[in-house]
Amino acid sequence: MSARTRPRGPGLSASFSSYSSSGSPGGGREILVQHLLVKEDDQKLLLELQQKVSAGEDLSDLAVEYSICPSKEEGGMLGWVRKGQMVPEFEEAAFGAPMNKVVRCKTKFGWHLLQVLSEREESVLLDIQPEELQVKMQDPKFVEEAQLIDVREPEEVALASLPGFQVLPLRQFGNWGPEITTKLDSDKDTYVMCHHGMRSLQVAKWLQTQGFKRVYNLSGGIHAYAVKADPSVPTY
């Protein structure tokens, strides 16, 4: 199975969220993890699966057939994760595992076989206030160099818009989502906007999962921008 996963809708939570803990992000890197999960008392099955892996079978194929985690639908792929998003036992095993080596660990959910497929520098997701964006918009270089995305629908954009923003409607995600890494540069600063800041936050979080390193969500959306920063922009 390829380490690159098929893009999922930004409104869908990643399957590894079932392991989420209250820890805070950190560690400076993210890892791409796939796994399979069996019940705690299924040690015989666990040993059989380990033998299959040793014999060269793919962990993702085994996950589809044997895993009890919902991620089995995607070959056990948990996506890009950072420290603080998983229970401690899984996190310790995953962040300590050699690249591409299948290792096992036990958590309150049962026994896991996991594999780290890739790693990267941890991405950043921040809110940007309307006043701050308005100042940046005065600099022609900013509009040229930054990637500006408006995820509202065309009829909304017709009512109010900001210069330089590329319109990628959330309802049309199926059209542009799979091509996002060819449409945009994941290394560039990327700013996302909607009406009130909620749809754009969904897309901003999704962009992180696609490898975008610095993503900014316009706090309060274009409505807050019009009220707080530029009254010439219509409200609706």
Side-chain angles (χ1 to χ4, degrees):
M1 177 179 176
S2 170
R4 184 176 295 277
T5 57
R6 183 178 56 192
R8 290 174 292 177
L12 301 178
S13 60
S15 56
F16 67 83
S17 61
S18 58
Y19 306 105
S20 181
S21 71
S22 58
S24 58
R29 69 185 180 112
E30 295 176 320
I31 55 176
L32 183 63
V33 187
Q34 64 180 5
H35 85 136
L36 65 78
L37 173 67
V38 298
K39 294 178 181 178
E40 183 178 348
D41 57 1
D42 258 347
Q43 292 192 354
K44 182 180 178 182
L45 174 59
L46 179 71
L47 292 174
E48 290 176 358
L49 294 175
Q50 284 185 291
Q51 290 172 356
K52 288 177 181 290
V53 168
S54 297
E57 291 198 39
D58 194 280
L59 184 65
S60 61
D61 293 335
L62 295 174
V64 171
E65 188 171 353
Y66 296 102
S67 182
I68 61 173
C69 176
S71 66
K72 67 180 295 180
E73 301 297 332
E74 297 184 14
M77 184 64 66
L78 300 182
W80 290 98
V81 299
R82 65 190 72 179
K83 287 186 176 179
Q85 290 183 309
M86 301 168 288
V87 292
E89 301 88 350
F90 191 96
E91 183 172 290
E92 182 179 354
F95 278 88
M99 194 71 62
N100 293 314
K101 181 178 175 62
V102 176
V103 300
R104 75 177 184 181
C105 72
K106 183 181 177 184
T107 70
K108 63 183 180 181
F109 301 105
W111 284 100
H112 306 257
L113 292 180
L114 67 91
Q115 183 177 29
V116 177
L117 301 172
S118 185
E119 68 176 353
R120 68 186 184 192
E121 180 184 348
E122 185 175 312
S123 60
V124 175
L125 172 58
L126 297 171
D127 275 342
I128 184 169
Q129 297 301 314
E131 299 90 340
E132 185 181 355
L133 179 61
Q134 199 269 342
V135 171
K136 289 181 177 292
M137 294 285 288
Q138 305 311 304
D139 183 354
K141 287 186 66 177
F142 170 76
V143 177
E144 291 175 7
E145 296 175 0
Q147 296 178 136
L148 309 175
I149 304 173
D150 188 338
V151 300
R152 296 175 300 148
E153 302 308 309
E155 57 269 24
E156 294 180 271
V157 177
L159 297 174
S161 62
L162 296 181
F165 275 79
Q166 179 179 358
V167 180
L168 297 176
L170 184 54
R171 286 183 190 167
Q172 297 176 25
F173 174 81
N175 295 330
W176 55 262
E179 301 176 355
I180 196 66
T181 53
T182 56
K183 281 179 173 288
L184 301 175
D185 186 344
S186 60
D187 289 326
K188 284 189 175 183
D189 289 359
T190 304
Y191 295 78
V192 192
M193 174 181 71
C194 68
H195 191 195
H196 290 293
M198 297 307 296
R199 283 173 287 174
S200 56
L201 179 60
Q202 287 183 326
V203 173
K205 288 180 177 178
W206 176 78
L207 287 171
Q208 279 191 296
T209 70
Q210 302 305 301
F212 284 73
K213 292 184 173 61
R214 292 177 302 278
V215 187
Y216 300 84
N217 180 50
L218 177 58
S219 180
I222 195 171
H223 178 81
Y225 187 92
V227 172
K228 297 180 179 180
D230 187 354
S232 69
V233 177
T235 58
Y236 65 95

